[in-house]
Amino acid sequence: QKRCRVVSNNLDIAQRLSASPSLEVIIPGGSVKRLVKRDVFIAHGDLVMSIVRMFHYDIAFMSVQAFDEEGTVMQEDLSEVALTQGVIEQTDKVIALSSRIRQDAKANIRVCKAIAFDGFICNEALPGWLADAMKQANVAVQVASASMYAWL
């Protein structure tokens, strides 16, 4: 039986996924901090970056929340930007996940353009400006049911 290896800096997600016997869950070592807005704990820092860059990923699921008007993913935390960009560089297929979408002026650091994604899963229809950006970037968008998305 083949096991799937999951690498996550999100401690909450790692804990939930570790319950599955078919998954090997790896948390890259580093400092732990709480993301207050999302009420989650993550590992971060240079050590996390070093470990993340050791792996090649067949598929990466990336949590995204903020976009600019052109559909570029935006972030407030510079260390999260570097981590996300590092994972994208090491990945064959990138799927963006979002439980809430916002056009946020506070998030002023560019992560990547929509074209970096192979798919986008969200829990509600995208606003017109973002749907247009995803269509232009040829990104497949899927609206998930509430029960399917509840664990995120």
PDB file of all heavy atoms in Angstrom, residues 109-136:
ATOM      1  N   ILE A 109       2.079  42.680  -0.295  1.00  0.00           N
ATOM      2  CA  ILE A 109       3.235  41.962  -0.839  1.00  0.00           C
ATOM      3  C   ILE A 109       2.722  40.960  -1.870  1.00  0.00           C
ATOM      4  O   ILE A 109       1.870  40.125  -1.569  1.00  0.00           O
ATOM      5  CB  ILE A 109       4.010  41.228   0.270  1.00  0.00           C
ATOM      6  CG1 ILE A 109       4.381  42.191   1.394  1.00  0.00           C
ATOM      7  CG2 ILE A 109       5.257  40.568  -0.314  1.00  0.00           C
ATOM      8  CD1 ILE A 109       4.882  41.495   2.648  1.00  0.00           C
ATOM      9  N   ARG A 110       3.264  41.041  -3.079  1.00  0.00           N
ATOM     10  CA  ARG A 110       2.842  40.137  -4.146  1.00  0.00           C
ATOM     11  C   ARG A 110       3.437  38.751  -3.926  1.00  0.00           C
ATOM     12  O   ARG A 110       4.632  38.609  -3.729  1.00  0.00           O
ATOM     13  CB  ARG A 110       3.297  40.676  -5.490  1.00  0.00           C
ATOM     14  CG  ARG A 110       2.514  41.857  -5.954  1.00  0.00           C
ATOM     15  CD  ARG A 110       2.974  42.286  -7.354  1.00  0.00           C
ATOM     16  NE  ARG A 110       2.184  43.413  -7.796  1.00  0.00           N
ATOM     17  CZ  ARG A 110       2.506  44.676  -7.569  1.00  0.00           C
ATOM     18  NH1 ARG A 110       3.607  44.970  -6.913  1.00  0.00           N
ATOM     19  NH2 ARG A 110       1.731  45.650  -8.000  1.00  0.00           N
ATOM     20  N   VAL A 111       2.580  37.733  -4.020  1.00  0.00           N
ATOM     21  CA  VAL A 111       3.025  36.342  -3.893  1.00  0.00           C
ATOM     22  C   VAL A 111       3.244  35.757  -5.278  1.00  0.00           C
ATOM     23  O   VAL A 111       4.324  35.294  -5.620  1.00  0.00           O
ATOM     24  CB  VAL A 111       2.010  35.491  -3.106  1.00  0.00           C
ATOM     25  CG1 VAL A 111       2.460  34.042  -3.034  1.00  0.00           C
ATOM     26  CG2 VAL A 111       1.773  36.064  -1.724  1.00  0.00           C
ATOM     27  N   CYS A 112       2.186  35.742  -6.080  1.00  0.00           N
ATOM     28  CA  CYS A 112       2.267  35.190  -7.431  1.00  0.00           C
ATOM     29  C   CYS A 112       1.033  35.619  -8.212  1.00  0.00           C
ATOM     30  O   CYS A 112       0.026  36.006  -7.639  1.00  0.00           O
ATOM     31  CB  CYS A 112       2.364  33.673  -7.395  1.00  0.00           C
ATOM     32  SG  CYS A 112       0.900  32.869  -6.719  1.00  0.00           S
ATOM     33  N   LYS A 113       1.138  35.508  -9.509  1.00  0.00           N
ATOM     34  CA  LYS A 113      -0.001  35.783 -10.379  1.00  0.00           C
ATOM     35  C   LYS A 113      -0.863  34.527 -10.472  1.00  0.00           C
ATOM     36  O   LYS A 113      -0.394  33.423 -10.199  1.00  0.00           O
ATOM     37  CB  LYS A 113       0.473  36.225 -11.751  1.00  0.00           C
ATOM     38  CG  LYS A 113       1.239  37.541 -11.712  1.00  0.00           C
ATOM     39  CD  LYS A 113       1.329  38.130 -13.088  1.00  0.00           C
ATOM     40  CE  LYS A 113       1.995  39.477 -13.050  1.00  0.00           C
ATOM     41  NZ  LYS A 113       1.146  40.543 -12.575  1.00  0.00           N
ATOM     42  N   ALA A 114      -2.104  34.704 -10.872  1.00  0.00           N
ATOM     43  CA  ALA A 114      -3.050  33.593 -10.977  1.00  0.00           C
ATOM     44  C   ALA A 114      -2.539  32.482 -11.887  1.00  0.00           C
ATOM     45  O   ALA A 114      -2.833  31.307 -11.660  1.00  0.00           O
ATOM     46  CB  ALA A 114      -4.403  34.097 -11.472  1.00  0.00           C
ATOM     47  N   ILE A 115      -1.742  32.827 -12.864  1.00  0.00           N
ATOM     48  CA  ILE A 115      -1.236  31.833 -13.811  1.00  0.00           C
ATOM     49  C   ILE A 115      -0.382  30.755 -13.127  1.00  0.00           C
ATOM     50  O   ILE A 115      -0.172  29.678 -13.673  1.00  0.00           O
ATOM     51  CB  ILE A 115      -0.469  32.516 -14.969  1.00  0.00           C
ATOM     52  CG1 ILE A 115      -0.357  31.568 -16.137  1.00  0.00           C
ATOM     53  CG2 ILE A 115       0.877  33.035 -14.508  1.00  0.00           C
ATOM     54  CD1 ILE A 115      -0.029  32.226 -17.446  1.00  0.00           C
ATOM     55  N   ALA A 116       0.086  31.015 -11.910  1.00  0.00           N
ATOM     56  CA  ALA A 116       0.873  30.020 -11.166  1.00  0.00           C
ATOM     57  C   ALA A 116       0.017  28.846 -10.709  1.00  0.00           C
ATOM     58  O   ALA A 116       0.542  27.804 -10.339  1.00  0.00           O
ATOM     59  CB  ALA A 116       1.536  30.672  -9.951  1.00  0.00           C
ATOM     60  N   PHE A 117      -1.310  29.005 -10.740  1.00  0.00           N
ATOM     61  CA  PHE A 117      -2.214  27.965 -10.250  1.00  0.00           C
ATOM     62  C   PHE A 117      -2.759  27.111 -11.389  1.00  0.00           C
ATOM     63  O   PHE A 117      -3.067  27.604 -12.465  1.00  0.00           O
ATOM     64  CB  PHE A 117      -3.390  28.587  -9.488  1.00  0.00           C
ATOM     65  CG  PHE A 117      -2.966  29.366  -8.281  1.00  0.00           C
ATOM     66  CD1 PHE A 117      -3.329  30.690  -8.130  1.00  0.00           C
ATOM     67  CD2 PHE A 117      -2.192  28.784  -7.297  1.00  0.00           C
ATOM     68  CE1 PHE A 117      -2.938  31.418  -7.020  1.00  0.00           C
ATOM     69  CE2 PHE A 117      -1.789  29.499  -6.188  1.00  0.00           C
ATOM     70  CZ  PHE A 117      -2.164  30.819  -6.050  1.00  0.00           C
ATOM     71  N   ASP A 118      -2.910  25.827 -11.088  1.00  0.00           N
ATOM     72  CA  ASP A 118      -3.554  24.912 -12.021  1.00  0.00           C
ATOM     73  C   ASP A 118      -5.043  24.800 -11.719  1.00  0.00           C
ATOM     74  O   ASP A 118      -5.821  24.387 -12.576  1.00  0.00           O
ATOM     75  CB  ASP A 118      -2.902  23.528 -11.916  1.00  0.00           C
ATOM     76  CG  ASP A 118      -1.435  23.600 -12.311  1.00  0.00           C
ATOM     77  OD1 ASP A 118      -1.170  23.707 -13.511  1.00  0.00           O
ATOM     78  OD2 ASP A 118      -0.580  23.591 -11.408  1.00  0.00           O
ATOM     79  N   GLY A 119      -5.417  25.148 -10.505  1.00  0.00           N
ATOM     80  CA  GLY A 119      -6.818  25.092 -10.106  1.00  0.00           C
ATOM     81  C   GLY A 119      -7.059  25.983  -8.908  1.00  0.00           C
ATOM     82  O   GLY A 119      -6.113  26.398  -8.226  1.00  0.00           O
ATOM     83  N   PHE A 120      -8.320  26.281  -8.675  1.00  0.00           N
ATOM     84  CA  PHE A 120      -8.717  27.137  -7.559  1.00  0.00           C
ATOM     85  C   PHE A 120      -9.992  26.562  -6.973  1.00  0.00           C
ATOM     86  O   PHE A 120     -10.983  26.375  -7.677  1.00  0.00           O
ATOM     87  CB  PHE A 120      -8.968  28.555  -8.076  1.00  0.00           C
ATOM     88  CG  PHE A 120      -9.169  29.581  -6.992  1.00  0.00           C
ATOM     89  CD1 PHE A 120      -8.176  30.494  -6.694  1.00  0.00           C
ATOM     90  CD2 PHE A 120     -10.354  29.645  -6.283  1.00  0.00           C
ATOM     91  CE1 PHE A 120      -8.351  31.451  -5.716  1.00  0.00           C
ATOM     92  CE2 PHE A 120     -10.534  30.591  -5.295  1.00  0.00           C
ATOM     93  CZ  PHE A 120      -9.533  31.498  -5.011  1.00  0.00           C
ATOM     94  N   ILE A 121      -9.963  26.218  -5.687  1.00  0.00           N
ATOM     95  CA  ILE A 121     -11.146  25.694  -5.002  1.00  0.00           C
ATOM     96  C   ILE A 121     -11.557  26.711  -3.948  1.00  0.00           C
ATOM     97  O   ILE A 121     -10.743  27.132  -3.123  1.00  0.00           O
ATOM     98  CB  ILE A 121     -10.860  24.333  -4.330  1.00  0.00           C
ATOM     99  CG1 ILE A 121     -10.402  23.309  -5.374  1.00  0.00           C
ATOM    100  CG2 ILE A 121     -12.104  23.829  -3.582  1.00  0.00           C
ATOM    101  CD1 ILE A 121      -9.910  21.998  -4.787  1.00  0.00           C
ATOM    102  N   CYS A 122     -12.828  27.106  -3.985  1.00  0.00           N
ATOM    103  CA  CYS A 122     -13.335  28.089  -3.030  1.00  0.00           C
ATOM    104  C   CYS A 122     -14.729  27.660  -2.576  1.00  0.00           C
ATOM    105  O   CYS A 122     -15.301  26.727  -3.118  1.00  0.00           O
ATOM    106  CB  CYS A 122     -13.357  29.480  -3.648  1.00  0.00           C
ATOM    107  SG  CYS A 122     -14.179  29.545  -5.248  1.00  0.00           S
ATOM    108  N   ASN A 123     -15.258  28.347  -1.577  1.00  0.00           N
ATOM    109  CA  ASN A 123     -16.560  27.941  -1.055  1.00  0.00           C
ATOM    110  C   ASN A 123     -17.703  28.834  -1.529  1.00  0.00           C
ATOM    111  O   ASN A 123     -18.828  28.665  -1.083  1.00  0.00           O
ATOM    112  CB  ASN A 123     -16.536  27.869   0.473  1.00  0.00           C
ATOM    113  CG  ASN A 123     -16.319  29.215   1.118  1.00  0.00           C
ATOM    114  OD1 ASN A 123     -15.902  30.165   0.464  1.00  0.00           O
ATOM    115  ND2 ASN A 123     -16.589  29.310   2.404  1.00  0.00           N
ATOM    116  N   GLU A 124     -17.401  29.773  -2.405  1.00  0.00           N
ATOM    117  CA  GLU A 124     -18.447  30.631  -2.960  1.00  0.00           C
ATOM    118  C   GLU A 124     -18.016  31.082  -4.346  1.00  0.00           C
ATOM    119  O   GLU A 124     -16.829  31.038  -4.684  1.00  0.00           O
ATOM    120  CB  GLU A 124     -18.685  31.845  -2.056  1.00  0.00           C
ATOM    121  CG  GLU A 124     -17.452  32.686  -1.849  1.00  0.00           C
ATOM    122  CD  GLU A 124     -17.638  33.765  -0.781  1.00  0.00           C
ATOM    123  OE1 GLU A 124     -18.500  33.595   0.102  1.00  0.00           O
ATOM    124  OE2 GLU A 124     -16.910  34.753  -0.842  1.00  0.00           O
ATOM    125  N   ALA A 125     -18.981  31.509  -5.140  1.00  0.00           N
ATOM    126  CA  ALA A 125     -18.662  31.999  -6.476  1.00  0.00           C
ATOM    127  C   ALA A 125     -17.700  33.184  -6.371  1.00  0.00           C
ATOM    128  O   ALA A 125     -17.811  34.007  -5.456  1.00  0.00           O
ATOM    129  CB  ALA A 125     -19.938  32.419  -7.190  1.00  0.00           C
ATOM    130  N   LEU A 126     -16.753  33.224  -7.288  1.00  0.00           N
ATOM    131  CA  LEU A 126     -15.780  34.310  -7.274  1.00  0.00           C
ATOM    132  C   LEU A 126     -16.425  35.628  -7.704  1.00  0.00           C
ATOM    133  O   LEU A 126     -17.303  35.624  -8.564  1.00  0.00           O
ATOM    134  CB  LEU A 126     -14.630  34.002  -8.237  1.00  0.00           C
ATOM    135  CG  LEU A 126     -13.803  32.757  -7.961  1.00  0.00           C
ATOM    136  CD1 LEU A 126     -12.708  32.620  -9.016  1.00  0.00           C
ATOM    137  CD2 LEU A 126     -13.191  32.814  -6.579  1.00  0.00           C
ATOM    138  N   PRO A 127     -15.969  36.741  -7.112  1.00  0.00           N
ATOM    139  CA  PRO A 127     -16.427  38.029  -7.620  1.00  0.00           C
ATOM    140  C   PRO A 127     -16.030  38.151  -9.096  1.00  0.00           C
ATOM    141  O   PRO A 127     -15.021  37.557  -9.518  1.00  0.00           O
ATOM    142  CB  PRO A 127     -15.681  39.055  -6.767  1.00  0.00           C
ATOM    143  CG  PRO A 127     -14.922  38.309  -5.742  1.00  0.00           C
ATOM    144  CD  PRO A 127     -15.003  36.849  -6.045  1.00  0.00           C
ATOM    145  N   GLY A 128     -16.777  38.912  -9.855  1.00  0.00           N
ATOM    146  CA  GLY A 128     -16.557  39.022 -11.296  1.00  0.00           C
ATOM    147  C   GLY A 128     -15.127  39.350 -11.690  1.00  0.00           C
ATOM    148  O   GLY A 128     -14.561  38.728 -12.589  1.00  0.00           O
ATOM    149  N   TRP A 129     -14.506  40.298 -11.013  1.00  0.00           N
ATOM    150  CA  TRP A 129     -13.143  40.711 -11.352  1.00  0.00           C
ATOM    151  C   TRP A 129     -12.148  39.565 -11.172  1.00  0.00           C
ATOM    152  O   TRP A 129     -11.219  39.403 -11.955  1.00  0.00           O
ATOM    153  CB  TRP A 129     -12.707  41.934 -10.532  1.00  0.00           C
ATOM    154  CG  TRP A 129     -12.759  41.711  -9.038  1.00  0.00           C
ATOM    155  CD1 TRP A 129     -13.841  41.925  -8.218  1.00  0.00           C
ATOM    156  CD2 TRP A 129     -11.717  41.208  -8.197  1.00  0.00           C
ATOM    157  NE1 TRP A 129     -13.520  41.584  -6.927  1.00  0.00           N
ATOM    158  CE2 TRP A 129     -12.228  41.150  -6.878  1.00  0.00           C
ATOM    159  CE3 TRP A 129     -10.407  40.811  -8.421  1.00  0.00           C
ATOM    160  CZ2 TRP A 129     -11.473  40.702  -5.793  1.00  0.00           C
ATOM    161  CZ3 TRP A 129      -9.650  40.370  -7.339  1.00  0.00           C
ATOM    162  CH2 TRP A 129     -10.193  40.322  -6.038  1.00  0.00           C
ATOM    163  N   LEU A 130     -12.354  38.727 -10.136  1.00  0.00           N
ATOM    164  CA  LEU A 130     -11.450  37.611  -9.887  1.00  0.00           C
ATOM    165  C   LEU A 130     -11.751  36.446 -10.825  1.00  0.00           C
ATOM    166  O   LEU A 130     -10.837  35.780 -11.312  1.00  0.00           O
ATOM    167  CB  LEU A 130     -11.516  37.175  -8.424  1.00  0.00           C
ATOM    168  CG  LEU A 130     -10.489  36.141  -7.982  1.00  0.00           C
ATOM    169  CD1 LEU A 130      -9.067  36.574  -8.314  1.00  0.00           C
ATOM    170  CD2 LEU A 130     -10.629  35.864  -6.494  1.00  0.00           C
ATOM    171  N   ALA A 131     -13.027  36.208 -11.091  1.00  0.00           N
ATOM    172  CA  ALA A 131     -13.410  35.161 -12.052  1.00  0.00           C
ATOM    173  C   ALA A 131     -12.799  35.470 -13.414  1.00  0.00           C
ATOM    174  O   ALA A 131     -12.281  34.570 -14.091  1.00  0.00           O
ATOM    175  CB  ALA A 131     -14.923  35.058 -12.144  1.00  0.00           C
ATOM    176  N   ASP A 132     -12.833  36.733 -13.813  1.00  0.00           N
ATOM    177  CA  ASP A 132     -12.227  37.140 -15.089  1.00  0.00           C
ATOM    178  C   ASP A 132     -10.727  36.885 -15.092  1.00  0.00           C
ATOM    179  O   ASP A 132     -10.178  36.391 -16.077  1.00  0.00           O
ATOM    180  CB  ASP A 132     -12.496  38.624 -15.369  1.00  0.00           C
ATOM    181  CG  ASP A 132     -13.963  38.915 -15.666  1.00  0.00           C
ATOM    182  OD1 ASP A 132     -14.717  37.960 -15.960  1.00  0.00           O
ATOM    183  OD2 ASP A 132     -14.355  40.095 -15.583  1.00  0.00           O
ATOM    184  N   ALA A 133     -10.055  37.222 -13.990  1.00  0.00           N
ATOM    185  CA  ALA A 133      -8.605  37.024 -13.894  1.00  0.00           C
ATOM    186  C   ALA A 133      -8.264  35.537 -13.975  1.00  0.00           C
ATOM    187  O   ALA A 133      -7.289  35.154 -14.643  1.00  0.00           O
ATOM    188  CB  ALA A 133      -8.062  37.629 -12.602  1.00  0.00           C
ATOM    189  N   MET A 134      -9.055  34.683 -13.311  1.00  0.00           N
ATOM    190  CA  MET A 134      -8.792  33.241 -13.340  1.00  0.00           C
ATOM    191  C   MET A 134      -9.042  32.676 -14.737  1.00  0.00           C
ATOM    192  O   MET A 134      -8.281  31.840 -15.222  1.00  0.00           O
ATOM    193  CB  MET A 134      -9.653  32.508 -12.311  1.00  0.00           C
ATOM    194  CG  MET A 134      -9.297  32.819 -10.872  1.00  0.00           C
ATOM    195  SD  MET A 134      -7.621  32.304 -10.472  1.00  0.00           S
ATOM    196  CE  MET A 134      -7.277  33.364  -9.095  1.00  0.00           C
ATOM    197  N   LYS A 135     -10.093  33.151 -15.379  1.00  0.00           N
ATOM    198  CA  LYS A 135     -10.401  32.687 -16.741  1.00  0.00           C
ATOM    199  C   LYS A 135      -9.276  33.097 -17.695  1.00  0.00           C
ATOM    200  O   LYS A 135      -8.821  32.294 -18.510  1.00  0.00           O
ATOM    201  CB  LYS A 135     -11.741  33.265 -17.204  1.00  0.00           C
ATOM    202  CG  LYS A 135     -12.179  32.756 -18.538  1.00  0.00           C
ATOM    203  CD  LYS A 135     -13.555  33.267 -18.903  1.00  0.00           C
ATOM    204  CE  LYS A 135     -13.982  32.701 -20.242  1.00  0.00           C
ATOM    205  NZ  LYS A 135     -15.329  33.125 -20.607  1.00  0.00           N
ATOM    206  N   GLN A 136      -8.818  34.322 -17.576  1.00  0.00           N
ATOM    207  CA  GLN A 136      -7.743  34.821 -18.428  1.00  0.00           C
ATOM    208  C   GLN A 136      -6.445  34.029 -18.214  1.00  0.00           C
ATOM    209  O   GLN A 136      -5.685  33.804 -19.150  1.00  0.00           O
ATOM    210  CB  GLN A 136      -7.520  36.302 -18.159  1.00  0.00           C
ATOM    211  CG  GLN A 136      -6.640  36.993 -19.164  1.00  0.00           C
ATOM    212  CD  GLN A 136      -6.626  38.488 -18.950  1.00  0.00           C
ATOM    213  OE1 GLN A 136      -6.680  38.975 -17.831  1.00  0.00           O
ATOM    214  NE2 GLN A 136      -6.553  39.219 -20.051  1.00  0.00           N
TER     215      GLN A 136
END
